[in-house]
């Protein structure tokens, strides 16, 4: 199990102090959080992508490249990379470059994840979002998998004898997750290509995501990539904890009540009952997180959102210290003991290079 954090990169007023961090402070806080993720033994740091306020992360590969230079072990990822409005050629080039700089410690979550005003800024139409996802990913796949690409589609200038550079590290492209909170077509794309499916299940009840993940697993097996229970699944999550459960509730409540996404809506108690959010003690975080496997089956990646809603950096780092000391060891022990030997672990560059080598060495009977 790969365990880490992701950020949506919001710049939000701290409801307790009234202070709004600067863009520079939030950008540098992302670096500090990523370094803490590595320090406490987590596996993944992922950043979102947005092109409008109140978000700062318009250039994920720049941020991740800087973090790569200051870390040695963690996987650097996204949550999500906008497949609808980014040029597939630029995605192929940027992530292959990052792959080389980080010695393979990179993958990406593709998603539609844009608000309506963003599409026309990039010459796109929101009504085309699913069609853009399908066409752009088909081209991205070719750019990584073929040395020379001849291509023509509906939404982009044709390519003739084009080679995306640099080529993927060791001839193996970055692993791709397809992120979705509600779109069956995205689950279908992930299954068709044998890629991962990341269900960012932080907003809605588990029953919704059980259907979406179930569809992905079923189609993954249909396309011959393995059994349904061997499909590669990632999940989102949220927590706020203190050693004493009531202290966590009291401290987090003003941040929850004023959060841009769910503030002024359901109560914190209702939200924690219906979604992955845990506000309580380390033991409560452990128990809630382990329950995900009971609903969604064995999965490979668990990412938590922890630096949002105006929480100060000092508090976020304290959360990670608590997680590293009290939660992470227990989650690793339990997840490892529950995963059958023939269900794959989270994807890494080294494992995928080894698999490609075995495949190329296998005898052909044609």
């Amino acid at each position: 199990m790969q365990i880490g954090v992701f950020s949506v990169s919001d710049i939000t007023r701290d409801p307790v102090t009234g202070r709004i961090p600067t863009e520079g402070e939030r950008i540098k806080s992302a670096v500090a959080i990523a370094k803490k993720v590595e320090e406490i033994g987590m596996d993944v740091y992922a950043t979102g992508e947005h092109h409008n306020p109140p978000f700062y992360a318009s250039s994920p590969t720049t941020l991740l490249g800087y973090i790569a230079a200051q870390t040695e072990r963690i996987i650097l990822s996204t949550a999500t990379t906008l497949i609808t409005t980014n040029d597939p050629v630029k995605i192929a080039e940027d992530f292959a470059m990052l792959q080389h700089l980080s010695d393979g410690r990179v993958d990406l979550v593709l998603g539609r994840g844009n608000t309506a005003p963003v599409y026309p800024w990039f010459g796109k139409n929101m009504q085309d979002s699913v069609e853009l996802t399908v066409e752009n990913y088909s081209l991205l796949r070719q750019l990584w998998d073929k040395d020379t690409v001849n291509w023509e589609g509906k939404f982009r200038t044709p390519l003739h004898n084009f080679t995306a550079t640099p080529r993927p590290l060791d001839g193996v492209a970055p692993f791709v997750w397809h992120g979705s909170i509600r779109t069956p077509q995205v689950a279908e794309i992930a299954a068709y290509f044998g890629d991962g499916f990341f269900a960012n299940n932080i907003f809605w009840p588990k029953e919704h995501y059980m259907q979406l993940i179930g569809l992905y697993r079923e189609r993954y097996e249909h396309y011959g990539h393995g059994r349904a229970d061997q499909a590669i699944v990632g999940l989102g999550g949220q927590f706020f904890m203190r050693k004493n459960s009531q202290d966590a509730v009291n401290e987090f409540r003003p941040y929850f009540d004023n959060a841009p996404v769910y503030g002024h809506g359901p109560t914190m108690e209702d939200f924690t009952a219906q979604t992955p959010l845990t506000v309580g003690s380390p033991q409560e975080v452990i128990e809630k997180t382990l329950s995900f496997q009971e609903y969604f089956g064995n999965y490979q990646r668990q990412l938590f959102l922890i630096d949002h809603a105006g929480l100060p950096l000092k508090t976020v780092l304290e959360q990670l210290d608590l997680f590293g000391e009290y939660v992470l060891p227990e989650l690793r022990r339990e997840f490892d003991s529950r995963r059958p030997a023939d269900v794959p672990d989270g994807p890494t560059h080294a494992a995928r290079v080894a698999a490609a080598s075995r495949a190329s060495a296998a005898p052909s009977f044609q």
Side-chain angles (χ1 to χ4, degrees):
M1 172 67 78
Q2 295 169 340
I3 300 173
V5 304
F6 73 101
S7 175
V8 296
S9 79
D10 62 307
I11 299 175
T12 301
R13 173 180 169 273
D14 184 328
V16 175
T17 66
R19 188 175 184 278
I20 301 175
T22 66
E23 287 180 319
E25 287 171 335
R26 282 290 283 138
I27 292 168
K28 289 180 179 176
S29 75
V31 179
I33 291 167
K35 292 169 74 172
K36 177 63 76 172
V37 163
E38 177 154 293
E39 177 189 321
I40 67 168
M42 279 180 154
D43 308 297
V44 183
Y45 176 81
T47 180
E49 177 185 346
H50 295 279
H51 297 273
N52 52 324
F55 306 101
Y56 66 80
S58 58
S59 182
T61 53
T62 305
L63 175 62
L64 295 179
Y66 187 78
I67 293 172
Q70 302 191 48
T71 55
E72 297 180 351
R73 184 185 53 78
I74 57 172
I75 295 171
L76 305 170
S77 190
T78 58
T80 62
T81 294
L82 302 176
I83 189 64
T84 48
T85 50
N86 282 310
D87 183 355
V89 172
K90 199 70 171 74
I91 295 176
E93 294 171 339
D94 284 350
F95 281 89
M97 177 70 77
L98 183 58
Q99 199 187 26
H100 282 269
L101 289 171
S102 64
D103 296 320
R105 292 186 292 124
V106 59
D107 59 31
L108 63 163
V109 179
L110 296 177
R112 296 187 297 153
N114 263 331
T115 53
V118 177
Y119 283 85
W121 298 341
F122 291 86
K124 309 298 182 188
N125 188 326
M126 187 173 181
Q127 281 66 46
D128 297 327
S129 63
V130 173
E131 203 174 351
L132 279 164
T133 299
V134 174
E135 179 173 307
N136 285 351
Y137 185 59
S138 175
L139 174 56
L140 177 61
R141 200 69 264 168
Q142 292 188 45
L143 291 164
W144 276 335
D145 295 343
K146 297 181 178 180
D147 288 336
T148 303
V149 173
N150 290 286
W151 180 89
E152 187 169 346
K154 179 179 177 181
F155 297 106
R156 193 195 185 283
T157 304
L159 296 172
H160 302 291
N161 297 319
F162 180 80
T163 299
T165 59
R167 303 301 299 143
L169 179 66
D170 301 319
V172 175
F175 185 78
V176 173
W177 303 79
H178 298 264
S180 178
I181 60 173
R182 60 175 175 269
T183 309
Q185 294 95 327
V186 173
E188 180 73 20
I189 295 169
Y192 177 81
F193 286 98
D195 296 333
F197 181 67
F198 190 88
N200 193 8
N201 54 320
I202 62 175
F203 296 124
W204 293 343
K206 62 181 182 303
E207 287 76 11
H208 170 79
Y209 296 98
M210 290 168 69
Q211 289 186 358
L212 205 55
I213 293 170
L215 171 64
Y216 161 67
R217 290 187 183 280
E218 176 188 330
R219 300 301 287 171
Y220 183 93
E221 181 170 309
H222 169 79
Y223 287 118
H225 300 296
R227 300 193 315 265
D229 68 331
Q230 294 174 320
I232 309 299
V233 173
L235 296 175
Q238 292 177 278
F239 65 79
F240 188 90
M241 64 181 150
R242 291 299 184 195
K243 291 181 181 178
N244 180 292
S245 181
Q246 192 58 47
D247 289 344
V249 170
N250 293 339
E251 186 175 347
F252 189 63
R253 189 177 298 282
Y255 295 95
F256 177 89
D257 288 345
N258 293 281
V261 175
Y262 44 58
H264 311 289
T267 66
M268 190 165 75
E269 284 70 19
D270 286 343
F271 202 81
T272 54
Q274 296 178 19
T275 76
L277 174 65
T278 308
V279 182
S281 67
Q283 185 58 37
E284 289 174 296
V285 174
I286 292 169
E287 292 172 2
K288 184 74 166 280
T289 304
L290 290 176
S291 74
F292 300 166
Q293 186 247 5
E294 299 168 12
Y295 305 128
F296 305 116
N298 287 295
Y299 62 107
Q300 283 74 22
R301 180 170 290 185
Q302 173 66 59
L303 299 184
F304 294 99
L305 174 64
I306 59 167
D307 72 328
H308 65 125
L311 285 164
L313 175 60
K314 177 176 179 293
T315 301
V316 174
L317 298 179
E318 289 171 355
Q319 293 293 299
L320 287 172
D321 280 332
L322 285 169
F323 191 92
E325 182 173 358
Y326 297 105
V327 178
L328 185 59
E330 185 64 19
L331 288 185
R332 286 212 188 284
R333 186 163 43 250
E334 276 297 317
F335 278 128
D336 286 347
S337 69
R338 296 180 182 192
R339 182 170 60 87
D342 61 352
V343 170
D345 203 349
T348 65
H349 181 73
R352 299 182 69 234
V353 169
S357 178
R358 288 194 298 273
S360 64
S364 173
F365 299 102
Q366 293 183 344

